[in-house]
Amino acid sequence: MIRIVFLDRDTLSPETVVRAPSVPHEMVVHARTAPHDVAERIRDADVVITNKAPVRAEALAGAAKLKLIAVSATGTDIVDLAEARTRGIAVCNIRNYAKHTVPEHTFALMLALRRSILPYRQSVIEGRWQQAAQFCYFDYPIADLGGSTLGIIGHGTLGQSVGRIAEAFGMTVLAAGRRGATDLKPGQTAFDEVLKRSDVITLHCPLTPETRGVIGIREFALMERRPLLINTGRGGLVDELALEKALDTGQISGAGFDVTDGEPPAANSPMMRIASRENVILTPHVAWASREAIQALADQLIENIELFLAGTPRNLVG
């Protein structure tokens, strides 16, 4: 009998169906798990499912039966991959489930900011249209996406999908090479050159020690065209204090973020300080969360577990 422990079922929507694996098993489901409770809850598990509950070395040390950590997301930074490898514990993740939902959210942020949708809506509610006494008014800037340049940092499945949508809008697309890299792959543009030439910059790379703070004071200083900065990747990719300063000084024209460095952000964090600005949109890490995408994630999650137990694992990481 396989014991499966789901540490944080509430990270998937209530309407999502998580079917039972087609193997003899016992499923223990927790709505949420605090970091200090992880070790006790996984102690007797054969398989652990986690989305955001961290599975670190100290928790793995007491999980003698553990064979698989099934991450119900693409990012695996919440798992100590090195320790899992040392202990012979496999780790798998979810892939390609968000190829529509994240790019669509990216463009929702992009369009809303470039066309000042939210401030115009608010001004109508407050009676500005009547005050203008004509058919329209021009209180906030509006700019087309067509003819502008989009810089994509992280050109995997999601970045490529964003690029295809951008081309349909008539944008010039620049795929950035790694920061500091000189050996660019075909079709890539040097990282610093992308920062200098882009009207919109969007982040789609994983959070790793190398990418943490990939956009900071130095990078903002290179953004000659005062671009929009869009982040539907991971909050830690951007130095949030540097972001606040870049908005204050006009180094960028706006920011659309779906992620923060620490979620939820503290009430006095830089992201919450800027959240009410007219040129900022902050959404609560929901770019991935269309009904269709979450159900596809849940289906793939259970399939990953079944395939591992059948001896044909897929989506292994680390």
Side-chain angles (χ1 to χ4, degrees):
M1 180 71 70
I2 298 295
R3 182 178 175 85
I4 302 172
V5 176
F6 197 157
L7 291 175
D8 49 6
R9 172 62 177 83
D10 279 6
T11 58
L12 304 184
S13 67
E15 66 182 11
T16 303
V17 177
V18 181
R19 67 174 178 82
S22 58
V23 294
H25 71 281
E26 173 192 11
M27 174 84 82
V28 180
V29 178
H30 301 282
R32 301 177 188 176
T33 298
H36 61 267
D37 289 328
V38 171
E40 179 60 32
R41 290 184 174 180
I42 73 171
R43 187 174 304 280
D44 297 320
D46 297 287
V47 175
V48 167
I49 301 171
T50 183
N51 187 320
K52 292 294 180 284
V55 184
R56 303 302 185 197
E58 57 274 19
L60 293 174
K65 296 173 54 183
L66 187 58
K67 303 175 182 66
L68 174 68
I69 301 169
V71 180
S72 57
T74 299
T76 56
D77 47 290
I78 44 89
V79 177
D80 189 328
L81 296 177
E83 184 68 18
R85 188 184 313 114
T86 297
R87 295 182 176 277
I89 301 167
V91 180
C92 64
N93 68 347
I94 308 298
R95 302 182 188 180
N96 300 328
Y97 77 98
K99 61 185 178 181
H100 298 302
T101 185
V102 170
E104 288 180 15
H105 196 93
T106 297
F107 270 87
L109 294 172
M110 204 182 300
L111 286 162
L113 288 164
R114 287 281 281 189
R115 306 197 68 84
S116 296
I117 297 294
L118 296 186
Y120 271 114
R121 178 183 185 273
Q122 187 60 34
S123 71
V124 168
I125 293 169
E126 294 172 354
R128 175 71 178 102
W129 205 350
Q130 287 75 30
Q131 295 170 6
Q134 64 174 22
F135 78 102
C136 72
Y137 51 97
F138 309 99
D139 290 6
Y140 306 100
I142 298 174
D144 294 336
L145 291 180
S148 65
T149 297
L150 175 66
I152 302 176
I153 299 174
H155 206 237
T157 299
L158 296 181
Q160 291 173 32
S161 181
V162 168
R164 288 190 292 271
I165 297 172
E167 289 171 350
F169 271 94
M171 303 179 79
T172 297
V173 176
L174 302 177
R178 292 181 182 273
R179 181 174 55 175
T182 56
D183 54 337
L184 298 175
K185 298 177 181 178
Q188 289 186 336
T189 301
F191 183 86
D192 287 1
E193 186 71 15
V194 170
L195 299 183
K196 292 176 182 179
R197 292 173 53 189
S198 296
D199 300 292
V200 183
I201 296 170
T202 181
L203 303 176
H204 299 284
C205 47
L207 181 62
T208 67
E210 292 73 28
T211 62
R212 176 168 285 280
V214 70
I215 302 295
I217 292 174
R218 171 191 173 277
E219 289 71 31
F220 283 118
L222 294 173
M223 297 180 186
E224 297 177 356
R225 297 184 64 81
R226 298 183 63 249
L228 288 179
L229 181 63
I230 308 295
N231 186 7
T232 56
R234 286 290 185 270
L237 298 173
V238 178
D239 180 331
E240 293 179 352
L241 285 171
L243 171 65
E244 185 177 27
K245 182 178 180 182
L247 288 163
D248 289 342
T249 59
Q251 289 177 304
I252 60 174
S253 60
F257 274 53
D258 184 55
V259 288
T260 62
D261 193 6
E263 294 172 342
N268 63 347
S269 68
M271 295 306 294
M272 292 306 296
R273 288 198 297 268
I274 67 174
S276 61
R277 300 188 187 196
E278 291 176 343
N279 62 343
V280 173
I281 300 175
L282 178 60
T283 53
H285 204 144
V286 291
W288 67 285
S290 70
R291 291 191 304 272
E292 297 88 346
I294 299 179
Q295 189 58 60
L297 179 154
D299 293 343
Q300 187 180 148
L301 171 69
I302 299 304
E303 290 168 4
N304 284 347
I305 294 171
E306 291 171 335
L307 288 168
F308 176 83
L309 295 175
T312 55
R314 72 176 180 190
N315 295 1
L316 294 181
V317 296

